[in-house]
Amino acid sequence: MMSESERELYSVGDVAELLGLHVRTIRNYVRTGKLKAVRIGKQYRIAREDVEALTGGSVTAGPSPAPGVGEAVPSAEVSTIVQIDPLTPETAHRLATLVTAAVHSPRGGTPGPRVQTIHEPERSRLRLVVLGNPADTAALLTLIESVLEPGSGLFPAATAPEEPRDDHR
């Protein structure tokens, strides 16, 4: 049998006040699936356990905690656009595949950053739009930087100009 605290439901406004966030932020969390909610009529209701799953701790009713105090854990998301050029279509495809595989590889059950790749062959350009938490995004940017280094194997080795041959020996 469920206890009273397990059945507790909050409105979007209640959750926003509990976590010290704006109502629009909570609605966005619900819309993107970051926070589970049930729609009842025209309003959302959010279970206490789902708020606790979002924050990673218990939720205490009452006024919003001061920044850095209480159970609410702030989260940050960054958006980054990486533009790489010039790239051949083959190299752009290889890099896009590498980045996509990197963000979809398992990392202890936490989802990685979301990445959209945009190849502009007419400009020999690849754009990567990255959205994610700062640490995962930084790790992905480090990976991208490392594969763009000379000698990484991503780019075909440049052919050195031929040395003049001395056929008179």
Side-chain angles (χ1 to χ4, degrees):
M1 181 152 203
M2 295 176 76
S3 71
E4 190 62 33
S5 65
E6 290 175 353
R7 282 191 235 141
E8 193 170 348
L9 295 177
Y10 296 107
S11 70
V12 170
D14 293 338
V15 174
E17 186 176 333
L18 277 170
L19 302 181
L21 298 172
H22 197 279
V23 173
R24 280 191 221 140
T25 303
I26 301 302
R27 284 191 193 117
N28 190 34
Y29 286 174
V30 170
R31 184 179 48 81
T32 61
K34 190 172 185 176
L35 178 61
K36 292 182 184 176
V38 175
R39 191 171 185 138
I40 301 173
K42 293 184 178 183
Q43 297 182 351
Y44 287 106
R45 292 291 179 246
I46 303 157
R48 176 188 199 96
E49 61 193 21
D50 292 326
V51 176
E52 290 173 349
L54 175 72
T55 62
S58 64
V59 176
T60 56
S64 300
V69 179
E71 299 296 327
V73 177
S75 64
E77 184 170 85
V78 295
S79 59
T80 306
I81 298 175
V82 181
Q83 180 175 302
I84 306 163
D85 54 358
L87 292 178
T88 65
E90 295 80 20
T91 304
H93 178 72
R94 281 190 300 202
L95 182 57
T97 301
L98 173 76
V99 168
T100 303
V103 298
H104 287 101
S105 65
R107 282 177 313 284
T110 60
R114 296 173 307 281
V115 176
Q116 179 181 8
T117 61
I118 305 162
H119 182 233
E120 300 174 54
E122 65 280 356
R123 294 187 177 164
S124 300
R125 177 181 296 157
L126 178 67
R127 289 186 194 208
L128 305 169
V129 181
V130 183
L131 300 166
N133 71 48
D136 288 346
T137 301
L140 183 62
L141 294 174
T142 301
L143 170 70
I144 293 167
E145 183 179 34
S146 70
V147 300
L148 293 176
E149 293 285 324
S152 69
L154 178 68
F155 300 101
T159 55
E162 286 189 26
E163 303 253 344
R165 290 164 60 180
D166 185 5
D167 292 332
H168 299 288
R169 285 195 221 185

